[in-house]
Amino acid sequence: MTQFTADRLLLFGATGDLARRKLLPSLCALDADDLLPHDLRIIATARSELDDASYRAMARAALEEHLAHDRRTTIERFLDRLTYQPLDATTLKGFTDLAAKVGTPANGLAIFLSTAPSLFGPTIAGLEHAGLTGERARIGLEKPLGNDLASSCAINDAVASAFPEERIFRIDHYLGKETVQNLLALRFANILFEPIWNSNYISHVQITVAETVGLEGRVGFYDDAGALRDMVQNHMLQLLSLVAMEPPTSFDATAVRDEKVKVLRALRPAQASETVTGQYRAGAITGAAVPGYDEELGKESATETFVAIKAHLDNWRWKGVPFYLRTGKRLPERVTEILVQFAAVPHSIFNARPTAQAPAMQPNHLLIGIQPEENITLSLMAKVPGLDEAGLALREVPLAIAMPDAFSETHRRIAYERLLLDLVKGDQTLFVRRDEVEAQWHWIDAIRAQWEQQALTPKSYTAGSWGPSAAIALAERDGVSWHE
Ligand code: BG6
């Protein structure tokens, strides 16, 4: 495999929402920390008829809106790196001019596609036509990469016709989040957890990705996708695979992804009865009234904005351990967290009667907060101070690490900073390999097929609640409460 650090970055979809909110701010922030190669030039392209100056003005406005104040020190230098070429990606015509604008990189070219998936095929054809797909070019792809296994395979085939897998970088921006990477550090840089990280000591795992936002104007896209495809197929299954994977032999792209894909292939096809879907109705989020999904959309729809699933992994380590997944829009708070619930002690030597100050003995749990707070909390039982004439009183106490406090000298980074830097440098560890994507779709398609077969439609939930009551029942019939 040819290793190179790119000195040209070609950005498709450069006027889009993702570019303005995340990509440009991330690149500028990397520049502020002197992390971009000094000779990196960024060629932006999209359909709009802009020139270099007007694109830079648009980029400046985006940075002023979306980049943290303390990271705006080098905006001018960053803007100087940018040039712009208008392009209609549906025809081959403009690609020769685009190639001229890119010029001849000294080291290599990194391409980033953040466009509608329908443009992926024509864009790849155009890149090939213009000679931009050679050995010293790699390509990053932003989701959605299809909306089922078949369409994802079609996209992957089109990309594979021009780029080998080791030069394809599929983004799942959750892998760029600090705390998600920290999950690997927690599991594999400490001796403490791994010996008990299995069905002998863990009774279940919960993964929650709750959002307060609604449609956010993404009317067409979201209504065709729904929560299962928008969030579970990618981000949640990636989180699940990091929690459940075997220790890789090293932190390198092949070793890590080999282990993740084994987990994804071990997912047991979920029964419809182990899934709950919901769609929000008008309600209130932190005191402010918000409309229902169909009102935001302007029509009735059967798309789910909430999904909860009880998932199982058919392998030795996780035999009999349910993984409860839930995600939804317009939930009461924005929170992404993983809860690992350990088993109860096999025999309690304490026999004090539970009281309000000292409730019954609770099994330990580990709570990994991913956002908005990045913290790790281990719940432990401790003795309540006192003379305990009625027997030793116990209470659950948290052993908590707030990551920002532990590393107060560092600043919080946007997930795309890590990923864009890895794309420029050519490290695939935090990108999703084709076999992972396909295993993900395989599991998701089977769920959707069952929903269709049984003509299931989402249940209503009030915006600002934790989803339909059936989601609570899904866990409660196993004696489990969702962590809130
Ligand atoms: C995107 C989804 O992939 O992730 C959005 O398409 C969702 O619907 C977003 O809002 C959530 O990302 P984050 O980083 O805000 O948790």
Side-chain angles (χ1 to χ4, degrees):
M1 172 161 121
T2 329
Q3 261 312 335
F4 61 87
T5 296
D7 56 323
R8 299 279 200 279
L9 174 62
L10 173 55
L11 217 55
F12 284 84
T15 55
D17 194 51
L18 187 75
R20 282 182 287 114
R21 284 194 306 123
K22 302 287 182 190
L23 305 180
L24 292 168
S26 297
L27 288 164
C28 188
L30 288 169
D31 203 6
D33 290 342
D34 286 326
L35 290 171
L36 290 183
H38 71 277
D39 54 351
L40 182 77
R41 279 184 41 210
I42 301 168
I43 304 92
T45 181
R47 197 186 279 265
S48 312
E49 287 294 334
L50 304 176
D51 58 12
D52 291 351
S54 46
Y55 184 74
R56 285 180 185 154
M58 189 221 83
R60 179 195 297 279
L63 296 173
E64 284 168 0
E65 191 178 346
H66 299 292
L67 184 60
H69 277 274
D70 61 338
R71 310 193 71 192
R72 292 188 192 167
T73 45
T74 52
I75 288 192
E76 296 311 320
R77 177 175 86 186
F78 175 71
L79 293 176
D80 278 348
R81 293 177 186 269
L82 299 177
T83 54
Y84 182 83
Q85 178 69 30
L87 175 80
D88 172 2
T90 58
T91 75
L92 293 179
K93 274 197 299 206
F95 279 88
T96 316
D97 289 345
L98 181 67
K101 193 88 172 189
V102 171
T104 310
N107 298 320
L109 169 67
I111 302 166
F112 188 99
L113 249 55
S114 153
T115 52
S118 58
L119 288 179
F120 282 12
T123 303
I124 303 287
L127 289 168
E128 255 190 315
H129 171 76
L132 291 171
T133 58
E135 259 203 18
R136 289 195 163 269
R138 62 174 72 104
I139 189 158
L141 305 171
E142 182 54 60
K143 73 178 266 264
L145 295 182
N147 61 2
D148 57 12
L149 180 60
S151 54
S152 140
C153 285
I155 290 176
N156 280 322
D157 286 345
V159 181
S161 69
F163 296 90
E165 183 64 30
E166 67 265 23
R167 289 194 276 118
I168 301 176
F169 290 62
R170 292 181 199 82
I171 300 254
D172 184 313
H173 79 277
Y174 267 56
L175 296 179
K177 293 185 192 268
E178 261 329 317
T179 339
V180 173
Q181 294 160 47
N182 205 17
L183 188 56
L184 294 179
L186 187 76
R187 285 194 59 197
F188 304 126
N190 297 294
I191 192 75
L192 217 56
F193 296 112
E194 208 42 36
I196 56 168
W197 206 259
N198 56 53
S199 60
N200 295 329
Y201 299 98
I202 292 180
S203 62
H204 76 264
V205 175
Q206 297 180 18
I207 304 179
T208 296
V209 182
E211 298 187 277
T212 52
V213 292
L215 254 183
E216 291 186 296
R218 299 152 85 212
V219 175
F221 164 73
Y222 191 86
D223 199 50
D224 285 344
L228 183 70
R229 295 190 275 201
D230 185 42
M231 295 298 283
V232 183
Q233 185 272 336
N234 35 59
H235 311 320
M236 296 194 81
L237 289 185
Q238 283 294 319
L239 292 179
L240 182 145
S241 65
L242 295 175
V243 173
M245 72 201 248
E246 296 300 314
T249 48
S250 65
F251 189 59
D252 93 356
T254 304
V256 169
R257 299 186 302 173
D258 281 353
E259 296 308 335
K260 281 196 295 167
V261 78
K262 285 186 212 161
V263 173
L264 297 166
R265 289 188 183 137
L267 278 164
R268 184 188 307 163
Q271 298 301 311
S273 58
E274 294 177 317
T275 69
V276 172
T277 57
Q279 191 187 85
Y280 62 84
R281 295 280 162 266
I285 308 271
T286 54
V290 293
Y293 179 75
D294 44 2
E295 292 162 70
E296 269 185 75
L297 191 65
K299 58 174 187 188
E300 288 200 349
S301 155
T303 299
E304 80 287 355
T305 60
F306 175 96
V307 60
I309 305 176
K310 180 179 171 187
H312 306 267
L313 292 170
D314 283 331
N315 62 19
W316 276 38
R317 185 188 281 259
W318 297 111
K319 169 94 188 141
V321 180
F323 283 71
Y324 298 94
L325 316 178
R326 72 174 164 169
T327 182
K329 303 265 185 211
R330 293 284 194 223
L331 299 185
E333 52 182 308
R334 175 174 187 250
V335 59
T336 299
E337 63 181 27
I338 299 169
L339 178 112
V340 178
Q341 179 65 59
F342 293 102
V345 293
H347 165 71
S348 171
I349 62 168
F350 305 105
N351 57 7
R353 226 180 282 130
T355 63
Q357 288 72 33
M361 188 139 80
Q362 300 294 323
N364 306 124
H365 67 247
L366 179 71
L367 185 64
I368 302 161
I370 290 171
Q371 62 192 22
E373 306 312 334
E374 302 182 344
N375 43 34
I376 296 174
T377 310
L378 180 63
S379 77
L380 296 175
M381 292 309 290
K383 178 185 170 309
V384 180
L387 299 178
D388 303 325
E389 280 164 289
L392 205 109
L394 302 169
R395 201 171 69 207
E396 195 176 45
V397 287
L399 185 64
I401 316 166
M403 295 316 250
D405 294 350
F407 298 100
S408 55
E409 71 284 5
T410 60
H411 43 224
R412 202 169 175 155
R413 292 190 180 279
I414 312 167
Y416 281 92
E417 289 182 54
R418 160 91 276 149
L419 299 176
L420 286 166
L421 193 60
D422 287 352
L423 173 68
V424 166
K425 296 205 163 164
D427 182 346
Q428 287 187 304
T429 312
L430 298 176
F431 293 84
V432 187
R433 207 166 57 188
R434 178 169 182 165
D435 50 3
E436 292 179 78
V437 182
E438 291 182 0
Q440 291 171 179
W441 276 122
H442 182 73
W443 193 67
I444 296 292
D445 282 2
I447 296 178
R448 289 184 48 75
Q450 285 205 41
W451 289 352
E452 268 163 39
Q453 208 177 28
Q454 300 182 23
L456 297 182
T457 49
K459 299 179 170 33
S460 299
Y461 63 98
T462 309
S465 73
W466 280 104
S469 53
I472 298 169
L474 178 73
E476 272 184 357
R477 63 183 183 228
D478 299 337
V480 168
S481 306
W482 290 104
H483 180 259
E484 262 145 44

